[in-house]
Amino acid sequence: MSLKSTMQCVMTAMVVIGLMAVGASAQVYRGSINGRVTDPAGAVVPGAKITITNTATNAAITVGSSAAGQYSAPNLLPGLYTVSAAATGFKTLVRQNIQIRTGVALGLDLALTVGSQSQEVTVTSAPLLITDSGSQDTVLNLQLSSRLPLSGTNIFLLATTAPGQTNGISGPLSNRPFDNGGEDSFSFNGAPGGGNNNAYLIDGMPDNNNEGMGFVPAPDAVSEVNIMTNQYDAEYGHTAGGTVSVALKTGANQYHGDAYYDYRTNRLNANLFQNNRVGQSTQNTQWHVPGFQIGGPLVIPGVYNGHNKTFFSVSYQHFFDQVATGVNRSYPTVSQMQGNFCSGAPGNQGVGRVIYDPTTTDINPFLSDGVTKNPNYGMRTAFGGCPGGQTGSIIPANRILPQATTLFALLPATNVPGCTNQYASGCSTNYQSGKGQGDHYYSTTVRVDETMSPTESFFASYEVGNRTEFITNPGAGANDAGYFPIYNTWRINHGAGFNLTSILSPTTV
C-alpha cells in the first residue's frame, strides 16, 4: 500500500471515529411509540402498515409490524399525532390526539377489527401507558412551560417543579438566563447539586460547559421541558444527578408567534429595608426584557412553498437590567482626615490610634536592655501630641499632602447610626446604595426542520447568548465615575446542532 493510500485510510478512520464520538454524546430528546398489532381474538397481525402523522406539520412516517406483531416509531418530535393501522382483512384503525412528549416512550397497542380497509374505526382519545422507559420524569408541555411563573425568564428553573428536588439558588440575581454557575444549584434525590453534577440538554444535545449549565433559551422558544430525576435508560448518563431536557419549538403549517415585554422598575417596588434605615430613597433599579418568537412554514412567494415540508422557528430576547447594590464601608472621620487620631477627638468614638513617622526608622534599634541591638527589626517614632493623656497621635498639618485633602473631600459622610467602634468587626460608618451593576444580554435561537420524504427528515439549530455585565462602585460618592470607573465582563455561549433520521426499512431506523 502506498503512503498516500495509507494516509487516506488513517484520515478516513479518524473522521469516522470523530463522528462516532460526536454521535455518542447526544441523547434522545424526541419521543416514540411502541406497541403490538392484534386481531379481535388477541392474535398478532404481522405486516400491518402503521402511519404516524404530525397534526401540526402533516409530516408522516410509515412503519410496519413484525412477524411478532410488534412495531416501533422512534424519533418523533414532541406534539400531537394521529396513528393509523391498516392490514388486509381488517378495518383501518385511526387513533387521534396521541401526545408525544420529550424523551418519553409511549406504549400504544392497536387492536384491529375484521372488515374492509375502506372502513375506518376512529378513536379520539384513550389512556396511554409509558411502558418502555424506567425513567421517572416530570414533563411540562407548551401550555405549562409558557405559563408557569419564572422570575428570571430561565426555563431550566422549571426543574423546581419536580419531586425530590432541592434548590440552592441564593436569590433573584442567580436565576437570570445568563447567571452561569449560579442558576443550576439543583440537587435531585440527595445527589450533589450544582455545576456538572446534573446534565442539561437542548434537543438532545449536551448543554453543559465547564461551569455547569450553558445556554438558556427564552421560555417562548421552548415547547417542552422534561425533568428526569431517576434516569435508568441507557442513552442518559455522564452524571449522578438529574437530567433536564429542553425541546425547542418547531414550525408548523400555520404561522404562530408572540411578542412580550417584561418591565420592572423601582417606581413600582417598595424601598429596600437598608435604604429606609439610613434615609435613602429607592435607587435606579430597572428590568427590561422584550422579546418575540415566530414559527411556521418556510415560504418564498413564487420561489418555494414549504407547507408540509420545511418549517422554521426563530426567537429573540433582549435582557437589560440595572440593579442598585448596597455597600457598607468605613471612611476616615473628619478628625482623622485632619490628622487627629486621638481618642478624645470628635468622631473617633473614644478609640485612639498611634501613628508612626515613616521618616524616623531605625533599622537597628536597641532591645529592652538598652545595650543589645536587634538586626532583624526596625523601629519608628510615634507622632504623639494628644492632650490630657489621650491615646493616639496627631499628624502635623504640614505632613498631610494636598492631594490627600482633595481626595478626602470626595468621600461621603458617616450616615450609619449605632456604630460605636469603626475598627470593630462588622461595624461600618457609611451605607451607599448606588448604580451597582447591570447587564445587557441577548439570546437568539433558530431552528429549521425539513421532511425530505416519509422515510427521511432532519433539523438544524443554532443558539447564541451574549451577556455584557457592567459594574460600578456605589460607595465612592457622587463623583465615583471619575475615580472608580465602570468595568465590563463578558459571557458568551454558542451552540449548534444537526440531526438526520432515516427509516431504512419498516423495522430499522
Side-chain angles (χ1 to χ4, degrees):
M1 181 180 291
S2 66
L3 178 61
K4 180 178 180 180
S5 299
T6 301
M7 291 301 296
Q8 288 176 338
C9 292
V10 172
M11 292 300 293
T12 301
M14 291 176 65
V15 170
V16 171
I17 293 172
L19 290 175
M20 291 173 63
V22 171
S25 65
Q27 284 79 31
V28 178
Y29 89 97
R30 308 194 204 195
S32 64
I33 301 176
N34 306 278
R36 189 174 63 158
V37 184
T38 59
D39 63 14
V44 299
V45 178
K49 179 183 178 182
I50 298 95
T51 303
I52 298 96
T53 305
N54 187 312
T55 57
T57 64
N58 208 32
I61 65 170
T62 301
V63 296
S65 60
S66 66
Q70 302 287 340
Y71 77 94
S72 178
N75 298 313
L76 301 174
L77 295 176
L80 285 177
Y81 283 79
T82 296
V83 179
S84 65
T88 303
F90 297 94
K91 297 178 183 179
T92 298
L93 174 64
V94 178
R95 295 286 300 271
Q96 297 178 340
N97 299 319
I98 304 301
Q99 179 75 54
I100 299 299
R101 293 187 168 182
T102 300
V104 174
L106 291 179
L108 182 63
D109 290 338
L110 303 173
L112 305 182
T113 57
V114 177
S116 170
Q117 285 191 33
S118 60
Q119 297 176 293
E120 189 173 284
V121 177
T122 301
V123 181
T124 57
S125 63
L128 300 177
L129 299 177
I130 302 174
T131 60
D132 295 336
S133 173
S135 175
Q136 295 183 10
D137 302 352
T138 300
V139 181
L140 304 175
N141 58 21
L142 176 61
Q143 287 72 28
L144 290 174
S145 63
S146 62
R147 287 170 173 78
L148 289 174
L150 292 170
S151 63
T153 69
N154 183 344
I155 194 68
F156 285 107
L157 289 182
L158 292 177
T160 58
T161 63
Q165 177 276 142
T166 57
N167 185 355
I169 293 177
S170 58
L173 296 187
S174 295
N175 58 24
R176 298 167 299 180
F178 46 78
D179 289 314
N180 304 78
E183 61 192 356
D184 52 8
S185 301
F186 305 110
S187 173
F188 295 98
N189 296 322
N196 284 299
N197 291 305
N198 301 311
Y200 303 94
L201 309 173
I202 296 179
D203 285 345
M205 289 168 281
D207 188 35
N208 287 60
N209 57 28
N210 60 332
E211 293 288 339
M213 185 189 300
F215 175 74
V216 178
D220 288 71
V222 173
S223 64
E224 281 196 349
V225 180
N226 187 354
I227 306 106
M228 289 164 273
T229 55
N230 286 310
Q231 63 269 10
Y232 302 108
D233 291 344
E235 68 264 31
Y236 301 103
H238 311 290
T239 175
T243 297
V244 184
S245 180
V246 165
L248 297 179
K249 282 183 180 176
T250 62
N253 274 324
Q254 300 294 324
Y255 289 103
H256 293 279
D258 60 80
Y260 54 90
Y261 197 113
D262 181 7
Y263 174 60
R264 311 179 200 178
T265 175
N266 57 291
R267 296 178 178 87
L268 302 176
N269 296 335
N271 196 10
L272 296 175
F273 169 81
Q274 297 91 328
N275 287 2
N276 284 330
R277 186 169 182 265
V278 297
Q280 292 188 13
S281 62
T282 56
Q283 300 298 313
N284 187 21
T285 298
Q286 301 289 333
W287 183 295
H288 303 265
V289 189
F292 71 87
Q293 186 276 330
I294 187 171
L298 182 61
V299 176
I300 304 176
V303 178
Y304 183 77
N305 184 358
H307 282 88
N308 299 330
K309 186 176 182 181
T310 309
F311 309 94
F312 75 93
S313 178
V314 177
S315 75
Y316 175 83
Q317 182 185 79
H318 184 89
F319 195 114
F320 168 76
D321 68 350
Q322 183 169 299
V323 182
T325 302
V327 174
N328 291 291
R329 289 195 173 100
S330 287
Y331 296 103
T333 65
V334 175
S335 297
Q336 291 169 351
M337 287 188 285
Q338 296 172 351
N340 190 337
F341 288 83
C342 296
S343 57
N348 286 356
Q349 298 144 348
V351 179
R353 284 289 181 267
V354 178
I355 308 299
Y356 293 89
D357 187 347
T359 64
T360 60
T361 303
D362 183 352
I363 60 172
N364 293 118
F366 287 101
L367 296 181
S368 58
D369 60 7
V371 178
T372 308
K373 290 238 179 183
N374 187 341
N376 299 320
Y377 297 94
M379 181 174 292
R380 293 173 178 171
T381 302
F383 280 115
C386 292
Q390 298 176 16
T391 60
S393 300
I394 297 178
I395 301 174
N398 62 355
R399 299 293 298 275
I400 300 176
L401 295 175
Q403 296 92 325
T405 303
T406 302
L407 288 176
F408 291 155
L410 299 174
L411 297 179
T414 298
N415 65 356
V416 178
C419 180
T420 59
N421 183 358
Q422 65 173 331
Y423 307 106
S425 176
C427 184
S428 57
T429 62
N430 183 270
Y431 172 81
Q432 291 289 319
S433 179
K435 290 173 288 187
Q437 66 184 61
D439 306 274
H440 276 290
Y441 170 79
Y442 72 84
S443 69
T444 303
T445 63
V446 179
R447 173 166 167 153
V448 177
D449 289 75
E450 173 77 10
T451 302
M452 295 179 287
S453 71
T455 59
E456 280 200 318
S457 64
F458 78 84
F459 77 81
S461 63
Y462 173 71
E463 306 89 37
V464 59
N466 190 322
R467 178 231 190 153
T468 302
E469 179 184 27
F470 52 91
I471 301 176
T472 63
N473 187 319
N479 299 315
D480 62 341
Y483 297 95
F484 296 87
I486 292 173
Y487 68 89
N488 297 330
T489 59
W490 290 268
R491 181 175 291 152
I492 303 174
N493 288 291
H494 292 275
F498 179 82
N499 181 288
L500 172 66
T501 301
S502 300
I503 301 176
L504 304 181
S505 74
T507 57
T508 304
V509 178

